[in-house]
Amino acid sequence: MATFNLNINGKTQSVDIDPATPILWVLRDHLDLVGTKYGCGIAQCGACTIIMDGNAVRSCSIPVSAAEGTKITTIEGLSEKVDHPVQKAWMEHDVPQCGYCQAGQIMSAVALLENNPNPTDEDIDNAMNGNICRCGTYVRIKKAIKTAANS
Amino acid sequence: MNPTSEKLNRRSFLKVSALAGGGLFLSVGWLAGCKPDSKEDLLGMPEEWIRINGFIRIGDNGLITIMSPNPEGGQNVKTGMPMIVAEELDADWPKVLVEQAPLDTDNFTRQFIGGSQAIRMGWNVLRNAGATARQLLVNAAAQTWNVPASEITTKMGMIYHQGSGKKAHYGEMASLAATLPLPENVQLKEQKAYTIIGTSRKNVDAKNIVTGKPLFGIDYKKEGMLIAMIIHPPAHGMRLKSFDDSKARNLPGIREIFPIKSHEDGYERTFFDTTSFTDLVAIVGNSTWEVLNAKKAVSVEWENFGTYQEKRDWNGRKEMRTIPGGLESEPEQLAKMNDVASKAKTVRKDGNPEMAFRNASKVIERTYNGPFLAHNCMEPMNFFAHINGNQVHCAGPLQKPELTEQALSTRLGIPIENIEIEMTRLGGGYGRRSYAHWLIEAAVISQKVNAPIKLMYSREDDMTGGIYRPMYQATYRAALDKDNNLIGFHVNAGGLVEPPIYPDRFPAGAVENYWVEEWTVSSNITVGSFRAPRSNFIAAAEQSFLDEIAEEIGKDPIDFRLELLKRAKENPVGENNDYDPERYAGVLELVKAKSKWGQNQAGISRGVSAYFCHNSYAAQVLDLRIENGQVKVEKVTQALDCGLLINPDAAKNLCEGAVVDAIGTAMFGELKFNQGVPDKNNFDRYRMIRMGEAPKAIDTYFVESQVDPTGLGEPGYPSVFAALANALYQANGKRLYQQPFAPQLT
Ligand code: FES
Ligand code: FES
């Protein structure tokens, strides 16, 4: 056990926990931030995607010990009023089906647009390739990313 | 009397149940965090909610809550079903809040999803619930204003009497309405008067999804809740022998480790009581990570089991099933299938197919295979359970709560009245969540530790836990005469553990001499419904075969199908053909026009396919190119006929998803067994379709129809497989007889 001070969604939170615990479970079990999802635990599905220091990362595969001193954004921290351009675009295109993968998809899309405001189709394919959607909403995700990029 | 009114009568519908302001939310605290709060902000919450019937509560300020009776797993029934109620209620949609109903068999019927039946079966019930409530509000206004009810009109949540100029919103009449006797007959709207049905409305949960609200079972939390996980055997054909938890039990955060039995020996299983492994090791602790670690530290000894008998009750049909012992591997499974195929039983025969094949100038014979498939819902199986003495509270994602409740009651020995099941959103279902053994497991674990627990499956537990799409095989034969007329058609199909065939489906009725045989191989590998059961394989086989026949006789594949359908319409062969040839032809004609079939584009290969299942019709034209050895699906054009559309854009979304899901499954989906062990347990090896492999565009069209709505979750799915196979053949000249396709393309 060790204490970690984490900067999550602009707030510092402290947890006393096994240093090997993946950030995913810290968020879900200890900090009540359950928007970040578990899908595979091995960095293959993207359901657990968060933004760490500006990059989309898989929180299931990063131990909490590596999170101290970084800035983490989760789906809950994207906006106060549900007005982040990516969230708005997602609603405009009514992207979700079951919705389970969508927090991860949105976080990957946000990180993509932060680093590359005008992505090509290929950029989008590459950035989003780590996020699986069994419901098959990819076509709408791509449209929503383009809408968000243009706003 | 319609079923709704009957039900509501029995539940002393006349009694007013007025909840104090906010009371509603206190009573369903879990959902409170999931309310679409913009509407609340807009209107403010009412002081009082008045319950009009099981579906409808009206606030004194005119805000309306409509309960969505069925679980939501991505088909968008949580928007579509309330839209139907709101239409007949004449509600103002922006002032409607939607709430997920709990399992409540007194107030609702058929609270399950599966077989694309939610909207189809709910259609009359939902309309009547809305129309009855509307009539009560009208009657209340008539009484209050002392005018004839026949002179009163309603519109968007308002009640008007033109003669006197009086008007009121629904909230003002709700208290009185709730005390009035139920109207004898209610008038349902004419379709042309619809203002909500047939218009695109956004997903009522969209905002909660994009903000990461706790909507799913896996997000469920309760004070004092512990986390539980299970260990199941590594192979089908094995069971628990013993375990040693000495290295796990003292790990931090671990409470208890113990064996459980999800069903007692000799239990008579009902339809959806399939479980792969009844004897499990349960690990209970404080947090997921701690339990995951302890799980790895338990050492378990397994043993092979022998052949045994399993009692089944298939909706009243009793069966004693023999479950063979042994550790199965794919080569033996295939050998067994081929052996049993030669002893198939005839399930339909028209004309004299044997003679047709004897007299044929040419016979085409092809065999198609489909592997086991894992459902891979993105949300792994999970459930919350709290057994407190004789009281049961469960919450989580499941498709058939109504059916699971009975099994749970039997297992726990607690009467159904004491069981409360809350339905959370499903992170995918596709059939997998019809088999709620994990709910029983959760309940048994909670009972043992005497605490609220959430059972979580790891992805590995989920993928290797059984209940797969069966392994299938179908051999098709076509007899052609010297003028290339199709004079005989024969299919011999079966599977492990069920056959894929629907004998009365197209091309039944279109061929003079027609013959269907089926067979089954038993196995200890458990199978179950998977998006468009049976059709998900047989459509691929049949529609690929028809493509090959069309080519052989030199006909355009769409024209060839249309000719067969014409025959089935004008002069059908045999009885009980279960499809409407005209509607079937309708989707083909539409997709032909919309895809500009016949106009070829350089470098693009096209394939077509069509299918009927779950009461709806679908056809696709798929365009692809092969670029540096990679398959690029440029565009899929599809046409569907599912009767009247409720929520067009949501319907489109669902059908786009079906295309993507089907392409992924056809290309990559596969689970093989070696000594009873599935060869994949996570997404590193089980390949799912990803963004770059999805079609660049999907154009979806619906046949305009006034027919009562039919299903849509499944019908768009099966035909896609063959559209892809047929397009791939055009691209590289290689017919595909085996799923998945991707390994054969390199
Ligand atoms: S849960 Fe982290 S990538 Fe799947
Ligand atoms: S919306 Fe269901 S998995 Fe993506």
Side-chain angles (χ1 to χ4, degrees), chain A residues 24 37-48 58-60:
Chain A
L24 170 68
K37 298 294 191 258
Y38 164 70
C40 69
I42 56 165
Q44 291 292 320
C45 77
C48 66
R58 314 297 175 213
S59 66
C60 67

Side-chain angles (χ1 to χ4, degrees), chain A residues 17-90:
Chain A
I17 204 167
D18 168 10
T21 312
I23 299 170
L24 170 68
W25 299 115
V26 177
L27 295 171
R28 292 189 57 83
D29 283 357
H30 302 273
L31 300 175
D32 253 340
L33 292 167
V34 295
T36 306
K37 298 294 191 258
Y38 164 70
C40 69
I42 56 165
Q44 291 292 320
C45 77
C48 66
T49 306
I50 57 171
I51 299 179
M52 204 169 159
D53 289 338
N55 296 312
V57 298
R58 314 297 175 213
S59 66
C60 67
S61 301
I62 303 178
V64 63
S65 56
E68 230 179 11
T70 69
K71 244 184 90 187
I72 290 174
T73 309
T74 70
I75 184 86
E76 290 91 345
L78 271 190
S79 65
E80 293 253 301
K81 297 212 163 86
V82 208
D83 54 2
H84 189 287
V86 172
Q87 288 173 317
K88 287 204 314 210
W90 242 249

Side-chain angles (χ1 to χ4, degrees), chain B residues 499-511:
Chain B
I501 202 85
Y502 290 96
D504 298 323
R505 243 172 227 182
F506 183 75
V511 188

Side-chain angles (χ1 to χ4, degrees), chain A residues 28-29 32 39 92 134 138, chain B residues 202 221 288 375 459 689:
Chain A
R28 292 189 57 83
D29 283 357
D32 253 340
E92 184 187 325
R134 162 83 215 259
Y138 299 122
Chain B
K202 299 280 190 218
K221 247 180 209 168
T288 315
H375 294 77
R459 172 58 60 196
I689 189 167

